[in-house]
Amino acid sequence: MDNERIVIKGGNRLDGSVSVHGAKNAVLPLLAAAILTKDDVAVENCPYISDVDAMVCLLSELGANVAREDRRICVSGGVTRTHARESLCKTMRSSMFMLGALISATGEVELPLPGGCDIGARPLDIHLDGLRKMGAVADIEGNVVRCSAARLRGADIVMRYPSVGATENLMMCASLAEGDTTLVNCAREPEIVALACGLRAMGAKIYGDGTSVMRIEGVQRLHGARMSAGGDRIAAGTVVAAAALCGGDVAIYGVNAGELHTVLQAFRSRYCDIDASDVCVRVRSQGRISARSVITAPYPLFPTDMQPQFVACQCFSDGACTVRETVFENRFGYAEELKRMGASISVGKNVAAVAGDPSAMKGTAVAAQDLRGGAGLCLAAMKAEGESVVYNPRYIDRGYESFEKLFASLGANIRRISD
Ligand code: EPZ
């Protein structure tokens, strides 16, 4: 499978309609939260992506009963073990979402640190600071996170940065802690609200989710529930970018357009109309990109997970722009691959300056190094003249269901081959 690759011939318009799969970054914490009770928990709208597969393996490894029935994943019985194989945790970042659930459910956590990530160091200081404030002993020893606490107690926690994962871990800890917790400067992403809805369905008392101050009243126990993730806003944003870039008329269903406001604004131009309703985002594009600068930041501002896709489109724009990345410290790795296609990009400290030139972009062989960077390379290949080969599609498979089938259904000349 190492030689698996996606082959793309650029230049096709995109036309038709797609429904996006369930949100990866909502489903993963919901699956983690499921071990906070021994009762049956069902998580609906789970996408077929490798990060979810890995999370199912991790929950099973920890002793939970896990069964997948199409897009529903059922978890029951809670966990019987408190640490997992290093090899498994190394393959997925999302093992960190088990930190809060495990210590809350068992009072004990021993988790190998996740694999190195191409977009930044991904420290855990905000997670551990919050756990310590709630009475846990929490340390990183070598490449293992070890935490223990007889019972967590509610605390007032001011987060130095609105970390999504730390907010989610602390929500899961606070739900079963003794007393009340306040999270100040917490993350406001839609995935936070999805987790709060899931925890409330289990009996948690959470208020203020979606704002910068969340209050959580600890309860004695949580019970089984049925919960669901909405559509994946980043997968939807990726389709918006592709339609704006390639030209055509594309309708995207299954996503809450309000969660994409800054992304839609970034792609609207004199060449591209985007209409958003409660049920559909419709992109009608002439296949040309206006030069535009953006700065990534925590929700509700422009999402870092759309940064590579946006830069890929700007390589074909009618001018110059800058894209500043304020969330991760090393998220322009894919730019070198775009330059191999002919892009004019100069990368400084957390900023990329792009000089758009559609005629300079030619298909060639490129390699994905991370999930969204790989998606960006595919977008560029769908527009560039000639044929491209995108290696390491396994990175893209972490966050997109059958990326090539999704875009082939809209008319892109894209297929996966492995020999
Ligand atoms: C989540 O990662 C998402 N992953 C990421 O999506 C997303 O890019 C990110 O949030 C920001 O929106 C999942 O939900 C599975 P953070 P997370 O903690 O929780 C620093 C994708 O493409 N930080 O909000 O790891 C951190 O290094 C992935 O789907 C600390 O310094 O992100 C980063 O620079 C990529 N100390 C910044 O905060 C900490 O203790 C944001 O990280 C925690 C984080």
Side-chain angles (χ1 to χ4, degrees):
M1 289 289 261
D2 283 346
N3 206 21
E4 196 172 37
R5 55 210 182 271
I6 293 178
V7 180
I8 299 169
K9 205 161 164 32
N12 288 14
R13 281 169 49 98
L14 302 182
D15 290 291
S17 62
V18 291
S19 289
V20 287
H21 56 67
K24 162 176 101 77
N25 293 349
V27 164
L28 293 172
L30 286 173
L31 289 171
I35 68 165
L36 294 173
T37 179
K38 294 188 184 308
D39 296 351
D40 295 352
V41 174
V43 181
E44 308 281 358
N45 202 18
C46 295
Y48 285 99
I49 56 176
S50 55
D51 266 13
V52 170
D53 298 341
M55 180 59 106
V56 167
C57 292
L58 181 57
L59 290 171
S60 304
E61 174 115 353
L62 293 169
N65 305 312
V66 191
R68 174 155 207 163
E69 303 146 18
D70 191 18
R71 291 179 185 276
R72 174 188 302 131
I73 295 176
C74 299
V75 184
S76 64
V79 293
T80 56
R81 281 192 290 283
T82 58
H83 62 283
R85 253 179 314 132
E86 183 164 350
S87 57
L88 181 58
C89 294
K90 279 235 169 284
T91 61
M92 51 182 284
R93 285 258 348 132
S94 34
S95 55
M96 274 306 109
F97 293 96
M98 293 309 297
L99 201 57
L102 269 176
I103 192 160
S104 207
T106 68
E108 193 73 38
V109 177
E110 190 175 303
L111 264 184
L113 282 175
C117 190
D118 279 351
I119 60 177
R122 315 295 286 272
L124 296 171
D125 61 297
I126 303 171
H127 299 249
L128 302 185
D129 174 61
L131 288 169
R132 290 173 186 136
K133 286 197 170 72
M134 298 182 80
V137 174
D139 285 296
I140 295 177
E141 294 161 22
N143 66 346
V144 174
V145 182
R146 280 196 180 82
C147 302
S148 59
R151 185 166 186 217
L152 295 170
R153 56 177 186 275
D156 279 350
I157 299 167
V158 179
M159 302 173 74
R160 70 170 177 80
Y161 182 88
S163 156
V164 171
T167 301
E168 290 165 345
N169 272 325
L170 295 174
M171 286 166 71
M172 290 187 247
C173 290
S175 294
L176 284 171
E178 193 159 359
D180 296 354
T181 295
T182 304
L183 298 180
V184 178
N185 192 32
C186 54
R188 298 186 278 168
E189 274 68 6
E191 292 76 32
I192 301 294
V193 176
L195 177 59
C197 291
L199 287 167
R200 273 192 288 264
M202 295 172 74
K205 293 181 178 174
I206 300 179
Y207 313 94
D209 45 294
T211 74
S212 293
V213 180
M214 222 184 310
R215 193 167 58 77
I216 301 166
E217 294 173 11
V219 295
Q220 282 297 322
R221 68 179 292 278
L222 294 175
H223 52 69
R226 177 185 296 273
M227 38 203 182
S228 179
D232 192 305
R233 60 192 171 101
I234 304 301
T238 305
V239 178
V240 169
L245 179 60
C246 298
D249 185 347
V250 173
I252 304 153
Y253 294 91
V255 68
N256 172 351
E259 296 175 1
L260 273 173
H261 184 81
T262 53
V263 172
L264 303 186
Q265 281 303 92
F267 282 99
R268 278 193 179 100
S269 75
R270 60 182 180 280
Y271 309 119
C272 183
D273 290 326
I274 302 180
D275 299 309
S277 71
D278 289 349
V279 292
C280 172
V281 172
R282 185 174 179 193
V283 183
R284 278 169 289 185
S285 166
Q286 299 169 36
R288 297 180 63 187
I289 295 287
S290 280
R292 186 156 303 160
S293 295
V294 296
I295 301 175
T296 71
Y299 194 85
L301 299 181
F302 190 88
T304 177
D305 292 347
M306 279 298 301
Q307 179 258 90
Q309 301 92 310
F310 184 80
V311 168
C313 291
Q314 283 296 314
C315 295
F316 297 84
S317 83
D318 57 5
C321 81
T322 58
V323 177
R324 184 169 297 282
E325 171 59 59
T326 72
V327 177
F328 289 104
E329 73 271 17
N330 180 29
R331 197 166 198 173
F332 290 112
Y334 63 88
E336 284 310 308
E337 297 299 292
L338 286 174
K339 287 156 86 169
R340 288 164 46 76
M341 297 177 77
S344 298
I345 307 176
S346 61
V347 176
K349 181 157 177 40
N350 294 340
V351 65
V354 185
D357 180 356
S359 61
M361 297 299 287
K362 308 290 184 205
T364 188
V366 289
Q369 299 154 10
D370 67 84
L371 166 54
R372 308 301 176 184
L377 294 176
C378 289
L379 296 190
M382 282 190 249
K383 183 68 174 179
E385 185 193 324
E387 182 172 277
S388 296
V389 179
V390 181
Y391 288 92
N392 304 333
R394 66 180 181 282
Y395 288 110
I396 301 170
D397 297 337
R398 289 189 47 195
Y400 295 92
E401 265 188 22
S402 307
F403 186 92
E404 72 282 1
K405 290 179 184 158
L406 173 72
F407 288 103
S409 73
L410 292 171
N413 184 333
I414 180 172
R415 67 193 193 284
R416 181 183 301 239
I417 51 178
S418 55
D419 41 33

